[in-house]
Amino acid sequence: MSPVALVTGASSGIGAAVATALDGYDVVALDLNEPAPFGVDVSDAVAVTDAIRLSPGPIDVVVSAAGHYESIPIADITVEQLNRMLRVHLGGLRNVVRAVLPSMIERRTGAIVAVTSELAVGGGDADAHYAAAKGAIIGFVRSLSAEVAEYGIRINAVAPGPTDTPLLAADSPWRAAEYLKTLPARRLARPAEVAAAVRYLVEAQFCTGEVLSPNSGAVI
Amino acid sequence: MHSGRIALVTGATQGIGAAIAARLASEGAIVGVNGPVRDARMDVVVTAVDGFPAVADVSDPDAVAAMVGEIERTRGPVDILVCNAAYMTMAPLIEHDDDDWWKIIDTNLAGTVYLIQAVLAGMRDRGGGNIVIMSSEWGVIGWPNATAYSASKAGLIALTKSVGRELAPEGITVNAIAPGVIDTPQLQVDADDAGTSLEQMHEQYRRSIPLGRIGKPEEIAAAVSLLARADMGAFVGQTIQINGGATRCRT
């Protein structure tokens, strides 16, 4: 039987590229846009747990890629927008990890990769709530890596720069020529590059608590 | 993955360098195995990876230029440069012999600059290339009695960031790896400094690492393989730390 990998946000963008890159794995794809029973909102811990029960086997690998992006000046961020951001990004990671960790601890193996963002490291204009949620993921990853290392479980993060996915609207300032000119690589990151970094971390048996950032040189 | 690409791996006759040579060769690269002298150890690695010998003391800029020149004449420009050669001794700062202290800097830090300078024109001719620099956990967190080594390895992180920015527009990626404690012959230096046996040194490190073991050279080679890929241009000036969870630091 193939090892099982759970991927959230697997229907599009980076999550979809990760699902493709994990050949050799039996991928359980969670996404708001998946059909039932895997069409779950990762901020809903009960729904996540219920979906994971339907996995074909114990989960060896978790990749948390579900997320959304919105740019809002700090004064205009509503309580709802802030809570949604925190509960999807940080909460989504926490929910899937909470659901799979007991089994990983019991089997003394497991690899978790969280998709965060270059904005978590460098910050951005009108990105306060997104950066807060993505930065929280890094704190969570580094802390949990120390907590579960003794069980042979590793948790790492990938912090991509602006990536050519549907999350970036056609009129996004990050697609504008003036912005791309400022990047040392002069282009957006590609989903396949981010997915290759995820796959590397899934297999990197001596790497834990680390953040890889394919960001075209936006943050060095 | 690296099919037909020419790779130059410095310090490739043992330890991490030999593992990198083997990994890149297994993925199709034609690997130049560098060491300061042509000896039996070099020939063993050259044969094992079906590569070619590339002799130069990396702290000697003329020797580096001559080595790269010969590779270019006989095989073509270098596509993948892995700056792995390193020299290390340990001593308290005020007791560390001046010449030996500077030999560490000149080999690890200046040597890497010479190598990048030597391959650059060829990479520009090719329209791209991939450079991977071996830093160290001690370049991130420092270490007592290793001032020169830590300084050289921290300098490599900053060099990676700067040259990474400078060359990315030309399709040349520059990234680094900061390994933690890896099972290589270099650990004997640590053991000698601590006045203990190699076995006891392994055990002491093992206890201090969250994952409960020291690393293997092949685990560093896997990261080199990722950063040496021609289709990973979004990696610019980054340092990947592979240390079993020992630091969790931002580089």
Side-chain angles (χ1 to χ4, degrees):
Chain A
M1 204 178 86
S2 304
V4 178
L6 176 78
V7 181
T8 73
S11 294
S12 67
I14 289 168
V18 167
T20 303
L22 289 175
D23 59 325
Y25 287 84
D26 199 345
V27 174
V28 177
L30 300 192
D31 196 292
L32 266 182
N33 299 312
E34 286 288 314
F38 296 112
V40 304
D41 179 340
V42 293
S43 71
D44 180 343
V46 174
V48 166
T49 306
D50 287 346
I52 286 173
R53 281 207 192 93
L54 303 172
S55 165
I59 290 165
D60 303 286
V61 170
V62 168
V63 180
S64 171
H68 62 291
Y69 176 73
E70 58 192 7
S71 173
I72 305 174
I74 182 70
D76 301 333
I77 299 167
T78 67
V79 172
E80 291 72 24
Q81 286 166 329
L82 174 62
N83 279 332
R84 181 79 187 139
M85 196 59 84
L86 291 174
R87 271 157 186 72
V88 170
H89 290 89
L90 178 62
L93 172 64
R94 175 188 175 278
N95 290 339
V96 291
V97 169
R98 287 259 297 179
V100 302
L101 209 47
S103 153
M104 285 184 171
I105 289 172
E106 191 185 316
R107 292 180 299 125
R108 300 186 79 81
T109 183
I112 300 162
V113 181
V115 177
T116 170
S117 165
E118 159 264 311
L119 291 174
V121 182
D125 185 18
D127 285 320
H129 69 323
Y130 183 79
K134 288 303 203 185
I137 287 176
I138 295 179
F140 181 89
V141 164
R142 287 186 167 148
S143 298
L144 191 67
S145 71
E147 195 172 319
V148 300
E150 65 174 300
Y151 305 110
I153 300 166
R154 300 176 299 102
I155 176 165
N156 294 283
V158 176
T163 305
D164 188 10
T165 72
L167 208 68
L168 278 198
D171 62 350
S172 164
W174 282 314
R175 290 191 184 278
E178 310 87 78
Y179 174 70
L180 296 178
K181 262 195 318 213
T182 69
L183 294 175
R186 307 282 193 262
R187 64 165 173 85
L188 298 173
R190 296 169 184 142
E193 292 175 302
V194 181
V198 169
R199 171 111 204 189
Y200 164 75
L201 288 171
V202 162
E203 295 170 342
Q205 296 294 330
F206 195 54
C207 198
T208 194
E210 175 61 328
V211 182
L212 265 58
S213 190
N215 63 42
S216 300
V219 176
I220 293 179
Chain B
M1 187 163 295
H2 303 300
S3 191
R5 304 183 78 211
I6 295 171
L8 172 60
V9 182
T10 68
T13 61
Q14 65 176 3
I16 291 172
I20 294 166
R23 172 76 186 229
L24 296 180
S26 75
E27 293 170 330
I30 302 150
V31 180
V33 177
N34 163 264
V37 291
R38 179 82 187 259
D39 58 9
R41 211 169 57 183
M42 178 183 285
D43 289 340
V44 167
V45 178
V46 167
T47 303
V49 306
D50 196 15
F52 60 93
V55 178
D57 174 346
V58 299
S59 69
D60 177 347
D62 295 332
V64 168
M67 169 181 68
V68 172
E70 191 191 328
I71 295 171
E72 290 176 340
R73 274 192 305 278
T74 56
R75 300 166 193 277
V78 173
D79 298 287
I80 298 168
L81 170 66
V82 183
C83 302
N84 170 74
Y87 172 69
M88 179 172 89
T89 55
M90 294 176 71
L93 178 61
I94 56 171
E95 295 169 20
H96 204 150
D97 174 75
D98 270 4
D99 289 344
D100 190 61
W101 199 93
W102 281 107
K103 183 179 172 183
I104 296 171
I105 303 292
D106 291 340
T107 304
N108 303 358
L109 187 51
T112 299
V113 175
Y114 302 146
L115 282 155
I116 295 171
Q117 289 174 325
V119 301
L120 191 51
M123 285 188 176
R124 283 177 164 153
D125 283 347
R126 280 259 209 257
N130 306 96
I131 299 172
V132 184
I133 293 172
M134 205 54 60
S135 179
S136 163
E137 179 182 334
W138 290 1
V140 179
I141 64 173
W143 203 256
N145 298 353
T147 51
Y149 186 80
S150 298
S152 74
K153 294 297 188 174
L156 287 176
I157 293 174
L159 177 73
T160 298
K161 294 180 179 189
S162 298
V163 187
R165 288 182 190 277
E166 195 171 323
L167 299 182
E170 302 179 60
I172 300 169
T173 66
V174 186
N175 293 286
I177 297 169
V181 181
I182 308 295
D183 188 6
T184 73
Q186 191 174 275
L187 288 189
Q188 188 64 54
V189 180
D190 307 31
D192 292 345
D193 180 71
T196 185
S197 71
L198 187 59
E199 293 68 31
Q200 282 173 318
M201 203 70 228
H202 279 204
E203 173 62 16
Q204 190 177 319
Y205 279 134
R206 190 188 67 70
R207 280 201 306 267
S208 69
I209 294 170
L211 282 177
R213 66 174 175 89
I214 66 174
K216 304 171 201 157
E218 294 75 20
E219 292 171 323
I220 304 307
V224 173
S225 171
L226 176 76
L227 294 176
R229 281 171 60 164
D231 60 351
M232 287 293 130
F235 277 95
V236 179
Q238 300 295 310
T239 300
I240 300 183
Q241 299 185 75
I242 305 167
N243 53 39
T247 62
R248 305 187 304 284
C249 289
R250 171 147 161 69
T251 49

